């Protein structure tokens, strides 16, 4: 019987997201509870390549469940996409006795996890990104917090837009995904929402503003996803074509920080727990997620091929009730 104590590594990779710390905490605690040893890997795959490792114990993850950011730091590591980088990372694992890795991040991080799994180090991915652009899960860690932050910001912008009878164009994060824009838009009563998943029709937007104006509306919020961009120009165009004084605000990185919401903390804990169970059973090359409130897991490459449908019905609702 193999009695060797299992050792797992945990890292955070790509853009940080609120709730990553809650996930790190749950990985460490669940693994130690199961009798495993845990090593923290600093700055994503960079730490694996450079051997930047730290022994974790129950206390090293105290007082972090409520904090944004990641105590393990994060990075976008180009070297890990190359064979030489992958081999260095594998050697670090062999030297440190790391039998498996939990990688918390987005789709790029999962590609890296799949590449390392194929080379003999079982990895499990946990979706952590504010964009919610991971197809195998209904929610990613950080998304709920980012939406709530954006909503609070837009509420404040609305106060001043209302006082001045203005139109405020607000740009939220999401390079290739409009989930934050769509949901914040509904929650804040945006007159129009522009997302990368739907072809931009500026004329349609201007007509909608004019129509609402005829119905007596005096202030307007337009939600724009980062992937569409051009918010300053859009505000100018709205002002020129409607006569409504307009301003643009780009919310930026405020959306990536702050204390995670209940939902993100619970999700992070659930997903981390499953990830540890998988590695404890010797199963790698998986990504975990949540679907209809059930924790699920998939082969990483299968998960990366999945497509997430943009919720068109929700987009229609947003449009139909915003006058
Ligand atoms: P983000 O969307 O915030 O950039 P990702 O999780 O997609 O977050 O992180 C991308 C990072 O994943 C890359 O910078 C790199 O460090 C890492 N990575 C490792 N292997 C790969 C790979 N094969 N393809 C893409 N990214 C990879
Ligand atoms: O993937 C998360 C995200 O915040 C995107 O919404 C955004 O496009 C990107 O990361 C910005 O990344 P950074 O400013 O860290 O390069």
């Amino acid at each position: 019987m193999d009695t060797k104590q299992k050792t797992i590594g945990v890292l955070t990779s790509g853009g940080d997201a609120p709730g990553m710390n809650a996930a790190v905490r749950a990985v460490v605690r669940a693994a130690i509870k199961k009798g495993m040893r845990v090593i923290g890997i600093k700055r994503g795959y960079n730490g694996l390549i450079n051997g930047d490792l730290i022994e974790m114990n129950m206390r090293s993850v105290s007082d972090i469940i409520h904090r944004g950011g990641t105590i393990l730091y994060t990075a976008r590591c180009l070297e890990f996409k190359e064979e030489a980088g992958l081999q260095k990372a594998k050697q670090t694992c062999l030297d440190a006795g790391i039998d498996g890795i939990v990688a918390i991040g987005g789709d790029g991080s999962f590609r890296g996890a799949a590449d390392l799994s194929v080379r003999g180090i079982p990895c499990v991915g946990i979706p952590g990104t504010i964009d919610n652009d991971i197809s195998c899960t209904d929610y990613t860690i950080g998304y709920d917090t980012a939406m709530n932050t954006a909503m609070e910001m837009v509420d404040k912008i609305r106060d001043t837009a209302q006082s001045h009878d203005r139109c405020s164009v607000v740009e939220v994060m999401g390079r290739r995904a409009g989930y934050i824009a769509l949901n914040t838009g509904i929650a804040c009563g945006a007159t129009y929402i522009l997302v990368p998943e739907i072809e931009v029709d500026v004329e349609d937007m201007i007509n909608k503003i004019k129509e609402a104006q005829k119905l007596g509306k005096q202030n307007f919020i337009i939600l724009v996803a980062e992937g569409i961009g051009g918010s300053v120009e859009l505000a100018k165009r709205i002002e020129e074509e409607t006569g409504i004084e307009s301003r643009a605000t780009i919310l930026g990185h405020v959306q990536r920080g702050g204390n995670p919401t209940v939902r993100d903390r619970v999700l992070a804990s659930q997903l981390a727990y499953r990830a540890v169970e998988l590695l404890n059973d010797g199963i790698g090359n998986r990504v975990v997620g949540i679907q209809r409130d059930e924790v699920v897991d998939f082969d990483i490459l299968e998960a990366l091929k999945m497509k997430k449908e943009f919720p068109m019905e929700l987009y229609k609702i947003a449009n139909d009730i915003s006058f």
Side-chain angles (χ1 to χ4, degrees), residues 13-16 45-46 75-81 86 104-113 115 128-129 131 133 175-176 256:
S13 162
D16 65 348
Y45 293 113
N46 282 326
R76 297 194 172 95
C77 168
L78 297 179
E79 207 185 336
F80 201 72
K81 293 188 188 175
L86 283 160
I104 307 163
D107 55 358
S109 307
F110 299 159
R111 270 175 232 292
D115 289 344
T129 165
D131 291 355
D133 59 348
R175 230 177 334 203
R176 288 160 308 183
R256 284 245 294 263

Side-chain angles (χ1 to χ4, degrees), residues 40-118:
I41 301 158
K42 297 237 186 110
R43 298 181 176 82
Y45 293 113
N46 282 326
L48 214 46
I49 290 173
N50 306 324
D52 198 357
L53 312 176
I54 173 177
E55 182 86 31
M56 308 292 277
N57 59 42
M58 288 289 191
R59 292 281 71 78
S60 26
V61 288
S62 295
D63 290 324
I64 64 165
I65 193 165
H66 61 299
R67 290 208 202 129
T70 157
I71 59 159
L72 291 177
Y73 302 87
T74 186
R76 297 194 172 95
C77 168
L78 297 179
E79 207 185 336
F80 201 72
K81 293 188 188 175
E82 310 294 333
E83 188 58 39
L86 283 160
Q87 288 305 332
K88 276 193 213 165
K90 180 177 175 180
Q91 195 54 51
T92 302
C93 292
L94 297 178
D95 294 345
I98 295 175
D99 305 302
I101 286 175
V102 177
I104 307 163
D107 55 358
S109 307
F110 299 159
R111 270 175 232 292
D115 289 344
L116 194 59
S117 295
V118 168

Side-chain angles (χ1 to χ4, degrees), residues 22-295:
V24 170
R25 168 185 179 270
V27 166
V28 171
R29 297 258 170 97
I32 294 176
K33 182 98 194 326
K34 286 184 189 298
M36 293 187 249
R37 203 181 139 221
V38 188
I39 291 177
I41 301 158
K42 297 237 186 110
R43 298 181 176 82
Y45 293 113
N46 282 326
L48 214 46
I49 290 173
N50 306 324
D52 198 357
L53 312 176
I54 173 177
E55 182 86 31
M56 308 292 277
N57 59 42
M58 288 289 191
R59 292 281 71 78
S60 26
V61 288
S62 295
D63 290 324
I64 64 165
I65 193 165
H66 61 299
R67 290 208 202 129
T70 157
I71 59 159
L72 291 177
Y73 302 87
T74 186
R76 297 194 172 95
C77 168
L78 297 179
E79 207 185 336
F80 201 72
K81 293 188 188 175
E82 310 294 333
E83 188 58 39
L86 283 160
Q87 288 305 332
K88 276 193 213 165
K90 180 177 175 180
Q91 195 54 51
T92 302
C93 292
L94 297 178
D95 294 345
I98 295 175
D99 305 302
I101 286 175
V102 177
I104 307 163
D107 55 358
S109 307
F110 299 159
R111 270 175 232 292
D115 289 344
L116 194 59
S117 295
V118 168
R119 283 158 185 79
I121 309 294
C123 298
V124 178
I126 299 182
T129 165
I130 64 164
D131 291 355
N132 202 33
D133 59 348
I134 305 291
S135 301
C136 69
T137 187
D138 294 342
Y139 292 96
T140 57
I141 298 167
Y143 169 53
D144 189 59
T145 307
M147 280 190 300
N148 278 289
T149 300
M151 181 188 75
E152 281 174 29
M153 298 297 127
V154 178
D155 284 350
K156 291 178 203 294
I157 291 169
R158 193 192 178 111
D159 287 346
T160 161
Q162 183 267 324
S163 307
H164 286 265
D165 290 325
R166 278 178 180 160
C167 173
S168 266
V169 176
V170 186
E171 187 173 312
V172 294
M173 273 188 167
R175 230 177 334 203
R176 288 160 308 183
Y179 296 101
I180 299 178
L182 172 61
N183 287 280
T184 308
I186 293 179
C188 298
T191 303
Y192 208 90
I193 305 169
L194 295 165
V195 292
E197 292 86 349
I198 296 170
E199 206 183 328
V200 174
D201 186 343
V202 176
E203 275 315 306
D204 188 54
M205 179 193 69
I206 303 274
N207 289 337
K208 178 99 190 283
I209 294 172
K210 287 181 177 166
E211 215 180 313
Q213 208 180 12
K214 276 193 207 132
L215 292 169
K217 194 169 174 66
Q218 290 166 294
N219 59 81
F220 305 81
I221 300 287
I222 306 296
L223 245 289
V224 181
E226 178 189 359
I228 300 293
S231 301
V232 174
E233 294 72 31
L234 204 61
K236 278 196 193 122
R237 180 140 174 219
I238 291 168
E239 186 161 319
E240 280 161 16
E241 296 201 23
T242 65
I244 303 162
E245 199 179 10
S246 300
R247 294 285 187 271
T249 307
I250 299 169
L251 293 186
H253 289 84
V254 67
Q255 296 160 94
R256 284 245 294 263
N259 308 61
T261 57
V262 171
R263 182 165 207 150
D264 276 331
R265 295 180 203 191
V266 174
L267 177 67
S269 306
Q270 283 177 292
L271 297 186
Y273 200 85
R274 170 67 66 88
V276 169
E277 281 179 336
L278 288 166
L279 287 180
N280 194 37
D281 293 342
I283 302 168
N285 202 16
R286 306 292 287 177
V287 57
V288 297
I290 192 138
Q291 291 185 347
R292 296 170 191 269
D293 285 334
E294 293 268 337
V295 177

